[in-house]
Amino acid sequence: MDAKVLIESFAEFARSKNVDRPTMIRILEDVFRAMIRKKYETDENFDVTINADKGDLEILRIREIVDDNSEDIWDFDKISLTDARKIEPDFEVGEEVYEKIELIEFGRRAVMMARQTLIQKIKDLEKDLLFNQYEELVGEIIAAEVYQILGREVLLMDGEGNELILPKGEQIPKDRFRKGDTVRSIVHKVEMVNGNPRIILSRTSPIFLERLFENEVPEVYDGLITIKKIVREPGERAKVAVESYDDRIDPVGACVGMKGSRIHAVVRELQNENIDVINYTDNLELYVSRALSPAKVTSISADHDRKRLSVFLKPDQVSMAIGKGGFNIRLASRLVGYEIDVFRELNDIEDEEDVVLDEFVDEIDGWIIDELKKTGLDTAKSVLSLTKDDLLRRTELEEETIDEIFKILKQEFEQ
């Protein structure tokens, strides 16, 4: 393989990958200088000129002519007068010899090694280009095609044939993919693993939801409406706090759109995830009330040191505040940054007939009572009004524990 083929093949690849000319020349020169150092131990007195467009290579060895008896005759940048005149008979001491070195003089093995080095540099360059390309896209939405579905991840291809990874944990639980599907997601992170770029996508990240709003709501894209915070239970429910700096713009109405036209597109992409869009405010009580929507809050007591809120609601509002599977209250807590405990407000008649859970502290562990209170269950009857399945879904209690709770509470009313 001659220099022309080496250079042209590399230049063609470099141009296809939009590698700038200086980088392309630098890599080629590095490869040829490595060959020179291998043969001559140094490349300090060599001049390497490359014309990538024509595939030309010129390697010049530059040495100063010294007398045959000079002590410097063995220096790498010196040549004896006798040897110099073998190249050009009219050379004199003190002149410089520019000797052209042909690639074939390095030997077939050296040329083949240069080829392998160039191939490896091409691969490394391609990896670096891919890494840098996607590192700039972190947090942005891309569309890619599914080409393989594995147990723990889905592999996708972008338009240039690069492999992207959508792990199971970054998929919406209701996602179902087939080979050939076009999937939208955000570039979650890019990392180097054993020298290879690994591009991780996500459909569960709050940033994915934020980008979808930017695509569907021009006011968000233009910065007229700011998304203050997003919390999600992917595929189930999300809460989005928005704020407008223009009094003429209703941020919630703009995000929802006429008859829900804007938000419906987002909901469809997220596999029918319920999205609550609320007005952000610095007023904590008002913010909590909005976060627990559609439930109507009666009163709120805050412990700012412990970052904990006690929220009181009418009995018929408790289940709405908690939401299906407890999603509503968990998301509200994350949105406002406080742990929220829900309590039912009882009237005098209900107070006489019911017993607060704190009365059972001798029979039921305190942490169990706290777990029940988190879901708005603060009296015996509020617990007994639910089924075992309801409690399993709402709390993190074991089935045996729930059976024991029911037994203790029922005995109270039997007595």
Side-chain angles (χ1 to χ4, degrees), residues 149-176:
I149 300 171
L150 305 174
R152 299 178 63 181
E153 59 192 21
V154 172
L155 303 182
L156 302 98
M157 285 280 195
D158 65 8
E160 297 176 354
N162 299 309
E163 182 181 277
L164 315 174
I165 300 167
L166 181 60
K168 193 74 174 175
E170 300 297 336
Q171 298 171 30
I172 297 171
K174 297 176 185 177
D175 278 338
R176 297 293 181 270

Side-chain angles (χ1 to χ4, degrees), residues 127-246:
K127 291 173 185 177
D128 289 341
L129 288 169
L130 181 60
F131 181 88
N132 294 334
Q133 174 190 343
Y134 273 95
E135 195 173 40
E136 292 179 1
L137 290 174
V138 169
E140 299 298 327
I141 287 182
I142 64 164
E145 184 178 308
V146 175
Y147 84 92
Q148 192 171 4
I149 300 171
L150 305 174
R152 299 178 63 181
E153 59 192 21
V154 172
L155 303 182
L156 302 98
M157 285 280 195
D158 65 8
E160 297 176 354
N162 299 309
E163 182 181 277
L164 315 174
I165 300 167
L166 181 60
K168 193 74 174 175
E170 300 297 336
Q171 298 171 30
I172 297 171
K174 297 176 185 177
D175 278 338
R176 297 293 181 270
F177 302 118
R178 291 179 297 179
K179 188 173 182 178
D181 284 351
T182 298
V183 177
R184 287 207 295 173
S185 53
I186 63 156
V187 180
H188 185 48
K189 61 181 177 180
V190 185
E191 54 194 18
M192 275 289 190
V193 179
N194 297 325
N196 296 306
R198 181 177 166 86
I199 302 155
I200 308 295
L201 307 179
S202 175
R203 285 172 53 80
T204 62
S205 168
I207 299 173
F208 183 47
L209 178 50
E210 184 175 346
R211 294 291 175 266
L212 291 174
F213 266 102
E214 288 177 358
N215 287 349
E216 299 296 333
V217 184
E219 292 88 346
V220 174
Y221 182 81
D222 293 336
L224 299 173
I225 294 174
T226 300
I227 295 177
K228 301 292 286 186
K229 191 171 183 179
I230 294 176
V231 290
R232 292 180 65 191
E233 289 284 348
E236 295 291 344
R237 192 162 197 152
K239 289 185 182 289
V240 183
V242 295
E243 185 178 34
S244 171
Y245 297 111
D246 188 335

Side-chain angles (χ1 to χ4, degrees), residues 248-305:
R248 296 169 297 178
I249 297 176
D250 169 22
V252 174
C255 289
V256 173
M258 188 72 69
K259 296 183 179 179
S261 58
R262 289 175 171 177
I263 204 166
H264 282 165
V266 178
V267 169
R268 282 195 302 271
E269 180 64 50
L270 300 181
Q271 304 294 357
N272 295 320
E273 190 172 307
N274 290 315
I275 301 174
D276 300 329
V277 184
I278 66 171
N279 255 319
Y280 175 81
T281 175
D282 291 326
N283 183 322
L284 180 61
E285 290 195 11
L286 181 56
Y287 193 29
V288 173
S289 296
R290 291 172 178 174
L292 285 171
S293 178
K296 292 180 172 59
V297 175
T298 303
S299 63
I300 296 172
S301 174
D303 184 342
H304 298 292
D305 293 334

Side-chain angles (χ1 to χ4, degrees), residues 59-171:
I59 301 175
L60 294 177
R61 187 182 187 188
I62 306 166
R63 288 180 290 178
E64 182 186 350
I65 302 171
V66 295
D67 189 81
D68 290 356
N69 298 318
S70 171
E71 293 179 358
D72 300 331
I73 197 169
W74 303 111
D75 291 353
F76 67 87
D77 59 347
K78 301 294 189 294
I79 183 172
S80 69
L81 180 60
T82 301
D83 289 339
R85 284 179 173 171
K86 290 177 182 177
I87 300 171
E88 191 71 46
D90 56 355
F91 272 135
E92 297 293 340
V93 173
E95 293 182 333
E96 284 190 332
V97 175
Y98 286 77
E99 182 184 3
K100 187 173 182 181
I101 308 296
E102 299 294 343
L103 196 63
I104 195 170
E105 294 180 36
F106 291 92
R108 181 177 176 277
R109 186 171 182 178
V111 174
M112 291 304 293
M113 284 189 66
R115 180 176 178 274
Q116 292 299 321
T117 302
L118 193 54
I119 290 172
Q120 187 57 50
K121 283 187 176 289
I122 288 173
K123 290 179 179 178
D124 292 343
L125 179 61
E126 190 170 19
K127 291 173 185 177
D128 289 341
L129 288 169
L130 181 60
F131 181 88
N132 294 334
Q133 174 190 343
Y134 273 95
E135 195 173 40
E136 292 179 1
L137 290 174
V138 169
E140 299 298 327
I141 287 182
I142 64 164
E145 184 178 308
V146 175
Y147 84 92
Q148 192 171 4
I149 300 171
L150 305 174
R152 299 178 63 181
E153 59 192 21
V154 172
L155 303 182
L156 302 98
M157 285 280 195
D158 65 8
E160 297 176 354
N162 299 309
E163 182 181 277
L164 315 174
I165 300 167
L166 181 60
K168 193 74 174 175
E170 300 297 336
Q171 298 171 30

